[in-house]
Amino acid sequence: MTARPSPSLEALSIDLGEPDLRGWRLWSRIIGVFLRGETIGAVVLMRLAHHFEAKGHRILARQASQRLRWKFGCMINRRASIGPGFKLPHPVGIVIGEGVTIGAHC
């Protein structure tokens, strides 16, 4: 029996446009996003921060959030609720605070 991925990783696979990505295929796609410098990298970092926060890895969550702020110039709180299919075509200057809820495909 395989473990079900976290909701953040399931949403991430939808954000990437490939809802069936799981395991190593998902992680290899994430690495590819960073190597190519795609703007979807902002969404990937946000989802990783949410994933690490949910798993209790606060240091990793904080590092992902800081990287998001440094590399893309946007601040998305790790405790914001953001549905799958989230897009940020130009992430610079975006601020999403704690307690914000954004629906799917926004």
Side-chain angles (χ1 to χ4, degrees):
M1 182 171 154
T2 59
R4 184 180 169 155
S6 75
S8 295
L9 294 182
E10 285 180 352
L12 177 57
S13 66
I14 294 169
D15 295 336
L16 292 170
E18 302 177 48
D20 294 329
L21 282 179
R22 302 279 187 269
W24 68 270
R25 288 184 9 197
L26 175 61
W27 289 102
S28 67
R29 177 70 171 99
I30 290 170
I31 291 168
V33 163
F34 289 119
L35 290 177
R36 287 189 296 276
E38 300 174 27
T39 57
I40 189 75
V43 176
V44 170
L45 282 169
M46 182 262 313
R47 294 289 184 201
L48 289 175
H50 285 158
H51 171 72
F52 293 137
E53 181 76 19
K55 295 291 184 182
H57 303 295
R58 295 193 189 279
I59 293 172
L60 293 174
R62 190 176 319 117
Q63 288 176 341
S65 290
Q66 288 172 345
R67 179 75 176 180
L68 174 65
R69 192 172 353 177
W70 175 78
K71 183 170 174 84
F72 294 100
C74 68
M75 294 174 52
I76 301 173
N77 192 286
R78 299 184 306 264
R79 293 176 193 96
S81 176
I82 300 173
F86 185 61
K87 303 287 184 213
L88 284 174
H90 47 84
V92 176
I94 301 293
V95 178
I96 300 173
E98 183 175 353
V100 172
T101 301
I102 298 175
H105 305 291
C106 178

